Amino acid sequence: MNQNYIIEDPWNIIENGFEPNRVKASESLFSLGNGAMGQRANFEEHYSGESFQGSYIAGVYYPDKTRVGWWKNGYPEYFAKVLNAPNWIGIDIEIDGISLDLNACKVNNFKRVLNMQEGWYQRNFRAVLSNGLEIEVIVKRFLSLTIEELGAISYKITPINKDASIRATPYIDAGIQNEDSNWDDQFWEDIHIIQKEDQAFIRAKTAKSHFETCTFMQSLCFVNGTKASLTATTASNNTRIGLSYNKTIEKGQTFELQKYGGYTTDRKQDKAELVNKAQLVLKEALALGFAKLLEQQKMAWAKIWEMADIQIHGDIKAQQGIRFNIFHLNQTYLGTDSSLNIGPKGFTGEKYGGSTYWDTEAYCLPFYMATKNQEVARNLLQYRYLHLDKAIENAEKLGFNSGAALYPMVTMNGEECHNEWEITFEEIHRNGAIAFAIYNYERYTGDKTYMPEMGLEVLIGIARFWKQRASYSNQKKAFVILGVTGPNEYENNVNNNWYTNYIAKWCLHYANEQCTQIEKNDLDTFNRITKKTTLTKDERDQWQKVSDAMYLPFDEKLGVYMQQDGFLDKEMTPASKLDPKQRPINQYWSWDRILRSPYIKQADVLQGFYFFEDHFSKENLEKHFNYYEPFTVHESSLSPCVHSIQAANLGYMEMAYDFYLRTSRLDLDDYNKEVHEGLHITSMAGTWMSIVEGFGGLRIKNDTLTLQPQVPKQWDGFSFKINFRSHIITVHCEHDKILLTTANNGDIDIQISNQSLSLKPNTPLEITL
């Protein structure tokens, strides 16, 4: 049974009532981020109950030594972990000498609100302490979008039934460990505590990776809104410093502590300037004050929502779901730094190391292309180009040569750092997603400059890998790819996974085709690239030979491509026959049992039909969808979105809607029973795709924007915006009509439900469906 304690609301995530068994889940759901840092929704005050402490700095990681039972040649030496950073949000509260701890007092009227429209998180509650004192607490915090190093907290306490002596101790603490440490290492070292009057700083360096950071704080106190000049007392140890403020507060008065804190890092600053930069940030924060900073926050989020929002009319649950997804995508990545990427958990947890996966290219790129701009999308592609040399090194470690590139399954700096052999060695289809992203970017943006500047070198490295990874089967008279894991990770070490073979075939052809195009249109650039890569015509001919003769498993009787060789040898019992008490199967079944089953974790063959939809007829898609979906258990967060898009394409609107709700509320309703570990950030981009590509039917066909809208019967309509080749287009869909507008200069050709039309600036275009 899914969780259902989140209150339905179009713009807010709301929890009413304090339940200790929900704390870790809510810490994930109410997380904050600003692209440069993020944190789980941990309590500021001490909490003795179960909690998952988490604050994270973008790009700062630790190479945790790989831990496996049997070392195999080619294993990565480490698994990169996004570090649990020093804690800057902490505020210990003592009232009449009693520590405020929600696990040790009576809690009433507890409420959390994550305001997605304005970008802040608030917690309200009343507590009755052991001495009978009742207090009301209101805490608001946000991570600034305008000053990326800064976070701000307002912590208000009001005694309700008698006067109270309050001791508030804001602190920063570098004595932090990751929950997912392989060897229980201390990830932070060379910790230095610095105090300058009422400012505190902790300089710390990460072990092994040697990132240097400065965690900082400064606080102000107020009584009933008037600043109180209180002298702080200092308490510190080797890893922590706190500044305590004492004040007796009359019944009904409100004591407020405003805390400003955050991080400076040597990713952006000179090491010698980290404390100085932190002081400048604090100076700016105090000059503006909490209220003005919050206004700036609201304005910054309003600008994001102006472009990124999707409005759903008549279905609050669906509306809340899509905004939750869009909100967390923007908290995780804003596209301003090409050295960063989008981790599957973002800033909400440590699982998967917080590193980059193929999810970025397969799922996230369309969202950022359409809701940001071309440069943001290009930065995501440039990230892989900058890692090309490392991808070649990764391939060399596995025995490949001559410039073959195998991009990592998991990475922070281009090196492979995933330590499961069936993934690291076998889930090689990731290379194909990176090539497809280049194609998808050029198709959508029309930008022809990325390919000669960077893209072709990436394609050459990928094509060389596929040429060497395929082997010729005399028995099949075709090239085969053996020993792989496809997108369906419930199958390992299989031969001829159809998706892997098909995308390899396509990559080889596409790389050769792009070489031909650049040779024809820009010979100087072509000569530069071929000289740099030592590429020859003979090598390209070999690519095409492998592509043309690639084996694709197919069953003549069923008329469908087989997921892999031997798939039909399984006991083909549909997922609907599974005992619901045994779901998700990865939490109840042995891996042996899963591998012998026909169950599909996420779209595999259908992932290929999604990428290459225009290679197949709708009848062919329908046959494959109807065959494979019944065996799919959707236990990957990336599964429902692809199925929603394809179900909408086939006119299966009830199924499309159900899959949309699942992907949009995957974490809110905890479908996979793991939200306490963090959110599924990259699959959230798939939620956006489910609406825009699924219900909106957005495609690029023959270099033209096309829409084939359908509105689920549960909705009155929906609206979204896209940035298509610098044209900002608003699309509003209802059951019987679609309305398009653009304010940009210049007409744009568009196709709506098979009608070729021209959209003119400031002239609404209405089409009856």
Side-chain angles (χ1 to χ4, degrees):
M1 185 176 178
N2 300 330
Q3 71 182 18
N4 61 357
Y5 69 85
I6 298 300
I7 306 301
E8 292 179 19
D9 184 277
W11 275 111
N12 298 285
I13 306 303
I14 302 169
E15 175 187 12
N16 285 330
F18 180 66
E19 297 289 343
N21 63 354
R22 298 197 307 230
V23 166
K24 291 173 75 172
S26 291
E27 287 174 339
S28 297
L29 294 172
F30 291 81
S31 294
L32 292 175
N34 69 356
M37 62 174 170
Q39 57 197 200
R40 291 170 59 80
N42 305 118
F43 298 160
E44 290 83 0
E45 73 277 358
H46 173 70
Y47 181 67
S48 60
E50 285 195 16
S51 174
F52 177 179
Q53 168 70 45
S55 294
Y56 308 99
I57 305 171
V60 175
Y61 66 92
Y62 175 82
D64 203 9
K65 183 180 177 182
T66 298
R67 184 168 192 163
V68 293
W70 175 25
W71 188 269
K72 299 173 181 65
N73 289 335
Y75 257 150
E77 296 181 2
Y78 68 90
F79 187 12
K81 303 288 179 67
V82 170
L83 292 185
N84 202 334
N87 176 16
W88 72 264
I89 69 167
I91 306 172
D92 284 340
I93 302 293
E94 288 186 14
I95 304 175
D96 293 343
I98 301 169
S99 175
L100 178 60
D101 176 358
L102 297 197
N103 197 47
C105 64
K106 183 179 179 181
V107 181
N108 299 315
N109 302 332
F110 182 91
K111 183 177 184 178
R112 297 185 202 242
V113 176
L114 180 64
N115 186 307
M116 300 180 290
Q117 187 172 21
E118 299 178 350
W120 51 262
Y121 160 59
Q122 182 166 300
R123 185 168 52 103
N124 305 7
F125 61 88
R126 287 196 173 196
V128 180
L129 305 184
S130 59
N131 65 351
L133 173 66
E134 184 177 7
I135 59 170
E136 180 179 62
V137 175
I138 302 173
V139 190
K140 180 177 286 186
R141 77 173 185 244
F142 60 91
L143 299 182
S144 173
L145 291 184
T146 55
I147 307 172
E148 66 174 21
E149 301 88 356
L150 180 68
I153 302 170
S154 166
Y155 200 111
K156 296 179 179 180
I157 306 171
T158 303
I160 300 300
N161 58 346
K162 57 183 176 178
D163 299 350
S165 175
I166 297 176
R167 180 182 179 89
T169 306
Y171 64 87
I172 49 179
D173 182 10
I176 301 296
Q177 284 186 303
N178 272 47
E179 284 207 355
D180 67 345
S181 171
N182 286 343
W183 302 92
D184 296 325
D185 291 347
Q186 283 288 345
F187 292 168
W188 294 95
E189 61 186 18
D190 293 340
I191 296 170
H192 301 285
I193 293 175
I194 303 164
Q195 183 181 355
K196 297 185 178 183
E197 297 180 352
D198 57 350
Q199 296 178 340
F201 311 88
I202 297 180
R203 287 202 57 164
K205 183 171 70 175
T206 60
K208 296 183 183 179
S209 52
H210 306 303
F211 291 101
E212 294 196 20
T213 67
C214 174
T215 306
F216 59 86
M217 73 168 184
Q218 184 172 359
S219 300
L220 301 175
C221 298
F222 299 82
V223 177
N224 283 352
T226 301
K227 186 177 178 181
S229 297
L230 304 180
T231 301
T233 57
T234 304
S236 64
N237 57 32
N238 290 335
T239 63
R240 168 176 163 150
I241 179 170
L243 301 176
S244 296
Y245 301 89
N246 295 281
K247 184 69 176 174
T248 298
I249 301 297
E250 296 177 7
K251 179 179 70 172
Q253 289 189 330
T254 297
F255 173 83
E256 177 186 9
L257 183 116
Q258 291 181 1
K259 181 177 183 180
Y260 303 93
Y263 310 103
T264 56
T265 79
D266 65 354
R267 291 191 64 255
K268 297 290 184 71
Q269 307 293 327
D270 184 90
K271 291 178 172 61
E273 296 297 317
L274 293 179
V275 174
N276 290 338
K277 174 62 176 177
Q279 286 185 295
L280 291 174
V281 171
L282 288 170
K283 182 179 179 180
E284 184 177 3
L286 266 66
L288 289 167
F290 191 88
K292 286 185 179 178
L293 284 167
L294 184 57
E295 279 304 309
Q296 289 184 353
Q297 182 79 347
K298 293 176 182 178
M299 291 171 63
W301 271 104
K303 187 175 180 180
I304 289 173
W305 286 115
E306 174 64 23
M307 186 65 218
D309 190 25
I310 290 179
Q311 297 178 33
I312 296 173
H313 309 289
D315 189 340
I316 292 177
K317 193 170 187 176
Q319 178 69 86
Q320 184 182 46
I322 186 59
R323 284 182 173 148
F324 179 75
N325 286 249
I326 293 170
F327 178 73
H328 278 290
L329 284 164
N330 279 285
Q331 288 202 126
T332 302
Y333 183 78
L334 292 168
T336 57
D337 187 342
S338 63
S339 68
L340 297 177
N341 210 281
I342 306 144
K345 292 293 179 190
F347 299 118
T348 71
E350 298 164 17
K351 191 175 180 180
Y352 309 124
S355 308
T356 304
Y357 282 62
W358 68 289
D359 306 18
T360 292
E361 286 76 21
Y363 298 90
C364 297
L365 183 70
F367 170 79
Y368 287 101
M369 282 195 300
T371 66
K372 300 294 184 186
N373 55 51
Q374 180 175 305
E375 287 306 310
V376 170
R378 190 180 169 105
N379 277 346
L380 289 173
L381 299 187
Q382 184 178 341
Y383 177 89
R384 295 296 191 177
Y385 174 74
L386 295 174
H387 289 174
L388 177 58
D389 288 344
K390 291 290 187 182
I392 292 171
E393 287 181 21
N394 292 334
E396 288 173 349
K397 291 175 183 177
L398 300 186
F400 299 90
N401 53 48
S402 303
L406 176 59
Y407 277 90
M409 186 66 182
V410 178
T411 193
M412 289 297 295
N413 66 354
E415 293 181 283
E416 176 64 77
C417 58
H418 196 289
N419 53 17
E420 296 174 355
W421 66 269
E422 69 274 17
I423 306 299
T424 302
F425 299 159
E426 295 197 338
E427 202 163 340
I428 54 176
H429 67 81
R430 61 200 187 244
N431 250 16
I434 290 162
F436 183 81
I438 296 172
Y439 164 77
N440 200 17
Y441 167 82
E442 186 172 288
R443 175 176 62 174
Y444 185 86
T445 66
D447 176 15
K448 303 295 184 183
T449 65
Y450 179 77
M451 187 66 73
E453 290 176 15
M454 292 179 261
L456 188 61
E457 291 179 51
V458 173
L459 293 181
I460 290 168
I462 289 173
R464 284 172 164 167
F465 171 81
W466 288 124
K467 163 62 176 64
Q468 295 178 44
R469 187 60 169 80
S471 56
Y472 189 75
S473 166
N474 286 314
Q475 189 267 329
K476 289 183 167 64
K477 304 300 181 186
F479 286 92
V480 297
I481 301 180
L482 309 177
V484 302
T485 296
N488 173 22
E489 293 172 338
Y490 287 174
E491 301 273 8
N492 304 145
N493 203 39
V494 302
N495 293 335
N496 296 309
N497 169 259
W498 179 85
Y499 172 79
T500 302
N501 285 24
Y502 195 87
I503 206 164
K505 171 185 174 71
W506 175 83
C507 284
L508 289 161
H509 175 77
Y510 181 57
N512 188 35
E513 179 183 62
Q514 292 305 306
C515 285
T516 301
Q517 287 291 324
I518 292 177
E519 182 179 22
K520 177 182 177 182
N521 298 327
D522 189 350
L523 187 58
D524 288 344
T525 295
F526 180 76
N527 289 336
R528 172 184 61 80
I529 293 171
T530 54
K531 181 179 179 181
K532 181 178 180 180
T533 60
T534 66
L535 179 67
T536 66
K537 180 64 167 64
D538 180 65
E539 185 178 4
R540 289 168 53 198
D541 289 343
Q542 290 298 311
W543 296 349
Q544 196 60 52
K545 178 181 177 182
V546 175
S547 177
D548 291 343
M550 183 67 72
Y551 170 68
L552 301 171
F554 184 81
D555 185 81
E556 295 288 348
K557 184 177 180 180
L558 293 171
V560 297
Y561 291 107
M562 287 290 96
Q563 183 175 269
Q564 74 261 352
D565 287 352
F567 183 71
L568 291 177
D569 293 336
K570 296 171 178 288
E571 187 176 316
M572 306 303 287
T573 304
S576 60
K577 301 295 185 182
L578 288 170
D579 181 352
K581 295 179 181 178
Q582 296 290 301
R583 302 286 301 276
I585 61 173
N586 61 26
Q587 295 180 20
Y588 293 96
W589 287 16
S590 70
W591 202 247
D592 169 75
R593 187 179 178 189
I594 289 173
L595 291 175
R596 289 185 287 107
S597 80
Y599 301 122
I600 301 170
K601 183 182 180 185
Q602 69 187 76
D604 193 303
V605 171
L606 294 179
Q607 182 72 38
F609 273 74
Y610 167 68
F611 273 175
F612 303 109
E613 178 183 279
D614 54 347
H615 293 194
F616 305 97
S617 67
K618 185 173 285 192
E619 291 74 22
N620 215 343
L621 168 62
E622 184 170 32
K623 183 177 288 187
H624 284 79
F625 187 93
N626 290 343
Y627 182 77
Y628 282 107
E629 195 285 322
F631 298 113
T632 306
V633 288
H634 305 291
E635 290 174 6
S636 164
S637 63
L638 300 172
S639 187
C641 62
V642 171
H643 288 83
S644 180
I645 293 166
Q646 292 178 332
N649 188 15
L650 294 170
Y652 301 166
M653 290 298 286
E654 277 299 309
M655 185 181 285
Y657 176 78
D658 289 344
F659 280 132
Y660 163 76
L661 271 189
R662 179 166 182 153
T663 186
S664 70
R665 301 189 63 87
L666 183 81
D667 293 316
L668 288 173
D669 297 342
D670 199 12
Y671 276 86
N672 290 349
K673 300 178 175 58
E674 58 185 11
V675 74
H676 59 282
E677 298 175 340
L679 306 180
H680 296 84
I681 300 298
T682 48
S683 73
M684 292 177 173
T687 303
W688 179 90
M689 288 159 48
S690 297
I691 292 181
V692 176
E693 297 183 12
F695 302 135
L698 186 146
R699 304 289 189 274
I700 310 302
K701 295 183 178 180
N702 301 318
D703 206 35
T704 300
L705 177 68
T706 72
L707 293 163
Q708 195 82 23
Q710 302 175 86
V711 180
K713 70 178 184 181
Q714 293 85 352
W715 302 353
D716 298 325
F718 65 97
S719 305
F720 60 88
K721 281 186 179 179
I722 56 168
N723 182 348
F724 179 67
R725 302 183 182 180
S726 298
H727 290 268
I728 308 300
I729 302 171
T730 301
V731 181
H732 176 75
C733 302
E734 297 181 12
H735 288 281
D736 59 352
K737 66 182 179 181
I738 177 171
L739 180 68
L740 285 82
T741 57
T742 182
N744 295 72
N745 293 325
D747 298 355
I748 180 169
D749 292 333
I750 194 165
Q751 190 170 54
I752 310 292
S753 301
N754 301 317
Q755 300 179 58
S756 295
L757 303 163
S758 180
L759 179 61
K760 301 180 183 300
N762 303 308
T763 305
L765 178 63
E766 184 173 312
I767 303 97
T768 301
L769 299 177

